[in-house]
């Protein structure tokens, strides 16, 4: 597992962590009012069928943390009956949070500090939803511990993270087109082992976003909800059938015939 620590930055010193944090926050600050406002249909539909419909059932008296909430768009598309809970959004980008507070004033928003301590009390939340965020942080194990800390007993953690290197050489800070300065995937086995170490029960770990499905979507977008549902079903079949092919580095074409992300749901 020594390589995992190098890849996921859990041995970064405090200066390197803070530099990474600032670079990522600066990158995301550019997008206030635009990039995140229109939550891509792909994420809306996949988040819904893979994770939210089966595992996200907050009652009105429950508290939900949307960690790395950006403009609050990911949960804003839920049917109204699923949006009756108290919502807290935390993000490292001040401008995205300002925008979130304007667009979704019913929520409460808190800025994530560079010291990596989530501004929340122990056990404050019944659900912690983290969609596409941990691959932007250097010290993933530390963040998982923090997310665990703020989750109450019996609470659920819902994660979506890409699983592959995204073309980045480990340790390199070269910015690649379309990516933030530091982002890189987190393999399922790493997430699973860290959650188990925290004493969490993994309820579901599903590979998703198959490379072939993503290629198809570059040229064709489903027009109806039914067509999206069919696409998710195809993605589930392809991703399950090729989960053995989930390599971190994918230089060969055959290695791209694999899922590119995972949904993980765990209970405290
Ligand atoms: C790819 S976006 C995902 C946004 C949203 N969760 C969604 O699914 O649409 C990643 C978000 O993570 C935030 N982020 C990056 N590093 C963070 C950190 N250390 N703490 C909290 N949020 C962070 C970014 O500012 C950005 O809003």
């Amino acid at each position: 597992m020594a390589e995992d620590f190098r890849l996921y930055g859990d041995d970064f010193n405090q200066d390197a962590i803070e530099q990474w944090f600032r670079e990522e926050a600066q990158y995301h600050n550019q997008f206030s009012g635009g990039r995140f406002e229109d939550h891509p249909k792909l994420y809306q539909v996949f988040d819904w069928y893979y994770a939210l419909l089966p595992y996200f059932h907050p009652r009105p008296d429950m508290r939900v943390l949307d960690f790395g909430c950006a403009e609050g768009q990911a949960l804003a598309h839920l049917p109204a009956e699923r949006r009756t809970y108290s919502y807290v959004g935390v993000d490292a980008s001040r401008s995205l949070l300002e925008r979130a507070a304007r667009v979704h004033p019913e929520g409460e928003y808190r800025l994530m500090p560079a010291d990596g301590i989530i501004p929340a009390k122990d056990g404050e939340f019944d659900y912690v939803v983290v969609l596409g965020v941990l691959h932007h942080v250097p010290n993933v194990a530390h963040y998982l511990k923090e997310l665990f800390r703020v989750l109450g007993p019996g609470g659920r953690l819902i994660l979506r993270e890409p699983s592959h290197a995204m073309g980045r050489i480990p340790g390199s800070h070269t910015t690649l087109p379309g990516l933030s300065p530091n982002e890189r995937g987190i393999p399922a086995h790493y997430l699973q082992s860290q959650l188990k170490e925290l004493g969490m029960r993994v309820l579901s770990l599903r590979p998703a976003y198959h490379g072939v499905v993503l290629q198809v979507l570059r040229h064709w977008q489903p027009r109806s909800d039914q067509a999206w549902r069919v696409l998710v079903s195809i993605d589930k079949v392809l991703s399950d059938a090729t989960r053995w092919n989930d390599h971190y580095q994918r230089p060969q074409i055959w290695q791209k015939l694999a899922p590119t992300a995972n949904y993980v749901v765990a209970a405290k």
Side-chain angles (χ1 to χ4, degrees), residues 20-21 24-25 27-29 31 35-36 39-40 43 47 66-75 90-94 96 110-114 116 118 129-139 143 160 180 183:
W20 174 308
F21 182 93
E24 290 289 309
Y27 172 83
H28 283 100
N29 273 336
F31 295 113
R35 180 176 176 194
F36 293 109
H39 195 42
Y43 293 122
D47 289 348
D66 184 1
F67 185 75
C69 63
E71 295 177 10
Q73 67 286 342
L75 299 184
V90 168
D91 202 282
S93 160
R94 190 183 292 277
L96 288 177
R110 303 177 191 169
L111 185 66
M112 183 69 193
I118 298 174
V129 178
V130 189
L131 299 171
V133 181
L134 293 181
H135 68 290
H136 289 284
V137 306
N139 41 353
Y143 272 76
R160 166 188 19 96
S180 71
E183 69 182 292

Side-chain angles (χ1 to χ4, degrees), residues 69-268:
C69 63
E71 295 177 10
Q73 67 286 342
L75 299 184
H77 297 277
L78 297 184
E81 70 273 14
R82 298 229 181 180
R83 280 189 278 120
T84 51
Y85 48 81
S86 317
Y87 174 95
V88 175
V90 168
D91 202 282
S93 160
R94 190 183 292 277
S95 66
L96 288 177
L97 285 182
E98 283 166 1
R99 170 84 188 167
R102 280 201 302 279
V103 182
H104 306 291
E106 66 286 359
E108 181 192 330
Y109 298 94
R110 303 177 191 169
L111 185 66
M112 183 69 193
D115 66 7
I117 306 298
I118 298 174
K121 293 199 280 285
D122 294 1
E124 186 174 332
F125 298 102
D126 301 289
Y127 282 89
V128 173
V129 178
V130 189
L131 299 171
V133 181
L134 293 181
H135 68 290
H136 289 284
V137 306
N139 41 353
V140 176
H142 164 79
Y143 272 76
L144 284 171
K145 265 190 214 135
E146 273 295 288
L147 295 165
F148 178 78
R149 176 182 69 76
V150 301
L151 196 60
R156 276 187 183 172
L157 175 66
I158 297 179
L159 298 174
R160 166 188 19 96
E161 294 298 339
S163 54
H164 57 105
M166 304 173 127
R168 189 177 305 290
I169 300 158
S172 130
H173 279 216
T174 322
T175 304
L176 298 175
L179 298 181
S180 71
N182 301 295
E183 69 182 292
R184 76 282 179 258
I186 310 171
H189 67 81
Y190 181 80
L191 285 174
Q192 196 170 21
S193 69
Q194 295 299 318
L195 292 171
K196 282 199 174 146
E197 224 164 90
L198 289 169
M200 294 196 82
R201 199 157 44 90
V202 175
L203 304 177
S204 165
L205 195 162
R206 293 217 57 161
Y209 299 87
H210 196 274
V212 169
V213 171
L214 295 182
Q215 278 302 324
V216 168
L217 281 168
R218 289 178 144 200
H219 306 285
W220 170 82
Q221 291 270 326
R223 296 252 170 92
S224 67
D225 287 346
Q226 200 183 357
W228 272 107
R229 266 204 304 279
V230 171
L231 192 78
V232 173
S233 305
I234 293 171
D235 186 67
K236 282 183 173 167
V237 172
L238 288 178
S239 295
D240 279 341
T242 54
R243 66 198 303 168
W244 57 272
N245 196 23
D246 194 355
H247 298 272
Y248 187 68
Q249 302 287 355
R250 301 180 179 187
Q252 310 288 338
I253 294 229
W254 64 269
Q255 290 169 328
K256 300 184 199 300
L257 303 178
T260 62
N262 289 290
Y263 283 95
V264 187
V265 180
K268 184 164 176 176

